Amino acid sequence: MLARASELFLPTLREPPSDAEAASHKLLVRGGFIRQVGAGLWTFLPLGWRVHQKVIQIIREEINAIGGQEMLCPVLTPAELWELSGRITIPQVFRLKDRTGRDFVLGFTHEETMAFHARELQSYKQLPQVWYHFSTKARDEPRPRGGLLRVREFIMKDSYSFDRDFEGLDKSFDKHKQAYDKIFERCGLEVHFVEAESGIMGGKESSGYLAPTGSGENTLIRCENGDYFADYDAARGIPRAPGFPPRLEAPTEIETPDATTIESLAALLGIDPASTSKAMPVVAGDRVVLALVRGDDRLSEEKLVTALGVAYRPATDAEIRDTFGAGGGSIGPVGAKVDVVADDTLREGQFVAGANRDGWHLRGVEAGRDYEPRFADIRQANAGDACPNCGGKLEAQTAIELGHIFKLGTFYSEPFGAKFVDEDGQENPIVMGSYGIGPARTMAAIVEQHHDDRGIEWPAAVAPYDVHIVVIPGQEEHAESIATSLSVAGLDVLVDDRDARAGEKFADADLIGCPVRVTVGRKVAEDGTVDVRERAEGEDKAVSVSELVSTVRERLG
RNA sequence: CGGGGCGUAGCUCAGCCUGGUUAGAGUGCUGCCUUUGGGAGGCAGAAGUCGCGAGUUCGAAUCUCGCCGCCCCGACCA
């Protein structure tokens, strides 16, 4: 395949758009891969679409390899489907009406539609199934950002597995996991599989794939020794041990005027903030619950939801005073007539806690002796915590979530009545899983991980073209025949035949980032050689035209 | 949805505070000359509803109000 720069719509820019911050945003726009149409709405220009298609093809091959069957569901779906699952109430749902006033939803995933089709599965003999499609998703995002990192409309590969039981689901899940590992590896990405929250998807267990990058919205917690990776929200770090004051036989009141923050309290008492406890009153359902973490820790909202099993909200000032008889900065677990969920770090030792009396705290408060909590892991892990596997130091790194896989169970099949009959003639709900990957995000992550100050360094598997030929003015005829021979050999070739200076062409070639560059200059007429350079390496090497095809193939790996 | 910022040529921006001929620069674009292995130089040229609407004024890119769009932080979130 041969493309000529003189004919391509390839609008490269010398400067990045003023509103771009992420490297992928800047370089994809500058390189003429994408253009913004509105907030979170992007057009893929010819080169960008080629890369997107290459990513899609890799995903397709790997999902086909685990038995996935490609199909295509509509973007526009009747609102009734979303009422059945209950997801109609999610704020991000794009809703609209047709001319007769009927309600529709622009899908943001396709669990509902796929469960609808799964009603045609009737027998255990038809299971398992894996169905997938590449389709456009719409999300009414409150805040799109970062180029392709967070958008309102995007193409997603989502596959759905249908099994007769949870054992089957585990197998389908593992197959996808393996497929995803291969996909990201083929894309040249460093990606880590981590536990994550189910969020709006519904279902039991979910896991994300995080690519560490320079820009992104997620945080990857990783051990310096490389044996532990986790999503920030779910990470389990081991905090340092506090410096405890001498042990007390019983809690002792101490006056702490104006000390309503941990910092002021620790300073006033001259103690380690880690030897205090922090009380966060929340309302779950119709009851008040006191969440207790160490003074130097932050409460993880996600972990607390998991521990409580339901969503919650912070208690209001009035509710706090009503329940504890004191203000927010002076409350504690001792004597409080509410359930207490204490973080595991509070199991051992004596801590300073609020006395449920304005301006007073208690020293020497001990779990088990002075209050009866339920223990759970509800603290947010921090960089600097010790690794739960090896004790090494945990680090935090910005990341992009490229994929998310869920064990949905019967969350959708039950309301949709997607059932099958087993060997004994019994009806059972189909057990589902869902598995998403965003090709555009993947593309952005590749740029984040593969670029330098001059431009992109595409891995060969996803590059828009294999070879970028820079034609030095005066060598057009030689270049044309070289381009043709590379193309005939099965390589994708971009030949820069524009009437432009060499420097400009080199700069564009670096920006666009095809893996191999061939410069056809004066030497081709003198000794029959051209210069071959790998984008990621930056060294020109003279290669005779007769060996060019094999050399380029070799360089592409 | 809360806070902040921006909107002037394809792109990056100046001009606005302190209203006043025909609205500027760099880059990009077109033509010609020169040049030709890392965005070279020269000459000539095209290109702007100054986001939209109202208002104040003899006069508005500039002042006031409203709206819209976009970006950043937060909240929210695959």
Side-chain angles (χ1 to χ4, degrees), chain A residues 477-498:
Chain A
E477 282 181 27
H478 283 108
E480 185 64 24
S481 79
I482 287 167
T484 303
S485 64
L486 286 169
S487 169
V488 166
L491 295 163
D492 288 345
V493 180
L494 171 62
V495 53
D496 193 345
D497 57 346
R498 293 175 302 170

Side-chain angles (χ1 to χ4, degrees), chain A residues 111 189 484:
Chain A
E111 279 80 1
L189 280 168
T484 303

Side-chain angles (χ1 to χ4, degrees), chain A residues 60-98:
Chain A
R60 177 178 284 132
E61 287 170 15
E62 296 301 336
I63 301 299
N64 284 346
I66 60 167
Q69 305 170 58
E70 186 168 351
M71 49 202 273
L72 181 63
C73 300
V75 177
L76 189 63
T77 55
E80 291 87 74
L81 289 183
W82 301 79
E83 278 155 13
L84 261 181
S85 68
R87 295 207 295 176
I88 190 82
T89 59
I90 293 171
Q92 293 172 318
V93 172
F94 254 113
R95 305 185 59 169
L96 64 160
K97 289 179 190 295
D98 72 4

Side-chain angles (χ1 to χ4, degrees), chain A residues 37 106 160 184 472:
Chain A
V37 177
L106 294 177
Y160 301 85
F184 295 128
I472 301 300

